[in-house]
Amino acid sequence: KAGVTQTPRYLIKTRGQQVTLSCSPISGHRSVSWYQQTPGQGLQFLFEYFSETQRNKGNFPGRFSGRQFSNSRSEMNVSTLELGDSALYLCASSPEPGLNTGELFFGEGSRLTVL
Amino acid sequence: GDSVTQMEGPVTLSEEAFLTINCTYTATGYPSLFWYVQYPGEGLQLLLKATKADDKGSNKGFEATYRKETTSFHLEKGSVQVSDSAVYFCALSGLNTGNQFYFGTGTSLTVIP
């Protein structure tokens, strides 16, 4: 069974630009969540999608947005990039929205560098 | 709000040494608790979990016990190996929060032969 696939793996942008990251969950998984990983802050929750609907959103500005398609694939977008957005963006999938006992399956991440 | 605090690293141990990585949490109600591990060049993967108080999660020789009275979920292993070198993350998932997990900042472990 293929794992969670994230593209692109690496990208470099300049301040003010926007970026779109893609995530394909494990086949059969309908919940996709996104996390930002930085050395100082660890992993921070961005948002979760299930059945094309955003279920939860973390404490990030409106420049961060996402969506989910009918095939459960998800994209996240960051507009007007800032230097502080440089991070590893992780996508995680699970079969269903958590009953708080579930496990997240992570992709290897998209490493964004903002210059 | 919910949060996790874990021991800062980096931690360097000799092979066969005993490992403890401390993790404490703040949460409303009864969260589920997890340890995730990130090996070099790989994505995060679940190491073990515990879903209720006094549960012990275990996997690959690692153990952690859900202690509600001390709000802790410390990770232990009796004899570490070089292959255990990785970054370890403590995490919690609260009730009714879907897949919104709260992670600690991670503890880097290096095991030397």
Side-chain angles (χ1 to χ4, degrees), chain B residues 13-31:
Chain B
L13 294 173
S14 297
E15 207 165 22
E16 300 183 2
F18 183 85
L19 168 71
T20 299
I21 300 178
N22 290 336
C23 171
T24 58
Y25 69 89
T26 301
T28 305
Y30 302 90

Side-chain angles (χ1 to χ4, degrees), chain B residues 11-19 77-82 84-85 109-113:
Chain B
V11 174
T12 302
L13 294 173
S14 297
E15 207 165 22
E16 300 183 2
F18 183 85
L19 168 71
K77 187 174 185 183
S79 176
V80 294
Q81 305 300 312
V82 172
D84 294 326
S85 298
L109 169 67
T110 301
V111 180
I112 55 177

Side-chain angles (χ1 to χ4, degrees), chain A residues 32-102:
Chain A
V32 173
S33 46
W34 289 88
Y35 289 80
Q36 181 194 65
Q37 184 179 7
T38 57
Q41 299 293 320
L43 279 84
Q44 293 188 290
F45 174 78
L46 282 156
F47 25 65
E48 179 194 4
Y49 288 87
F50 176 76
S51 292
E52 302 176 65
T53 301
Q54 187 181 88
R55 298 186 72 247
N56 280 308
K57 188 176 186 338
N59 189 26
F60 279 83
R63 299 185 297 106
F64 292 80
S65 63
R67 59 179 175 168
Q68 186 181 36
F69 302 95
S70 58
N71 62 358
S72 295
R73 191 176 70 84
S74 177
E75 289 182 347
M76 67 163 282
N77 183 277
V78 188
S79 62
T80 320
L81 284 166
E82 300 177 359
L83 295 179
D85 298 333
S86 294
L88 181 66
Y89 290 89
L90 295 171
C91 171
S93 75
S94 69
E96 298 287 338
L99 296 174
N100 95 325
T101 60

